[in-house]
Amino acid sequence: MELGALSKLVGQVATGPFGSLLHKSDYVENETPLVNPANIVDGRIIPDMRKTVNKSALERLSSYILKADDIVIGRRGEMGRCAVVEEEQAGWLCGTGNFFIRPHSDVVSRFVAHVLRSPSYVAKLEAASTGATMANLSNRVLGDLELALPSVNSSWSISK
């Protein structure tokens, strides 16, 4: 078992575009889906084809394009809302209310997402969040979250 910070054990934690990076004028229907916290339902990503982005917005925001096995997790509102990006969702855009975690090649994303959705980790995320009106999590807090993960060299394994 390995114990350490999420950013060390799992991978890079990045914040989705915020502020003036993504504009309402970038939204179109039926193009590239945007993954916001509302699109994460019961551990799955459900697109809203009324809130997608056009090609120029996608090119401008290319550093926020999701890859298969990335983990998206809401950074505001309901803590612990997360999902693994499936192969067919690769190329979608991380939305403003999410972080995405780009895992190391030896990390099983589904296991990490399961841990982050567990009641004990949701409680940790809630305790670490700030905001009087709506819970809000920082990149640093998520990256520093302590996790215990099975070692790659363990005698048992979890398939992807």
Side-chain angles (χ1 to χ4, degrees):
M1 206 49 113
E2 290 185 66
L3 184 65
L6 181 141
S7 60
K8 178 181 172 266
L9 294 181
V10 178
Q12 173 193 359
V13 177
T15 307
F18 57 92
S20 62
L21 291 175
L22 188 60
H23 310 95
K24 286 202 184 254
S25 61
D26 294 322
Y27 294 150
V28 294
E29 289 189 17
N30 300 313
E31 288 196 33
T32 302
L34 188 63
V35 181
N36 285 312
N39 302 108
I40 303 171
V41 180
D42 296 326
R44 297 178 327 152
I45 300 171
I46 309 295
D48 179 350
M49 297 310 288
R50 294 169 301 169
K51 290 184 181 174
T52 65
V53 293
N54 60 37
K55 188 174 180 139
S56 65
L58 190 64
E59 289 171 2
R60 191 179 79 249
L61 300 168
S62 62
S63 59
Y64 303 102
I65 294 175
L66 298 168
K67 295 181 179 181
D69 289 327
D70 281 353
I71 302 164
V72 289
I73 182 167
R75 65 178 180 89
R76 59 182 184 222
E78 180 187 332
M79 293 292 112
R81 185 183 285 204
C82 69
V84 175
V85 176
E86 303 293 337
E87 197 68 46
E88 63 271 11
Q89 298 162 336
W92 293 7
L93 189 68
C94 182
T96 59
N98 285 332
F99 295 115
F100 64 99
I101 304 165
R102 179 122 323 133
H104 303 302
S105 61
D106 61 344
V107 170
V108 178
S109 297
R110 291 189 195 301
F111 181 80
V112 175
H114 179 75
V115 169
L116 293 173
R117 286 191 299 266
S118 72
S120 62
Y121 276 89
V122 168
K124 288 180 183 187
L125 293 170
E126 287 172 345
S129 65
T130 59
T133 307
M134 180 186 291
N136 200 334
L137 200 57
S138 75
N139 186 306
R140 182 189 54 78
V141 166
L142 182 60
D144 290 347
L145 182 70
E146 192 169 275
L147 290 175
L149 296 179
S151 162
V152 176
N153 300 326
S154 65
S155 59
W156 59 278
S157 66
I158 298 172
S159 63
K160 282 192 174 187

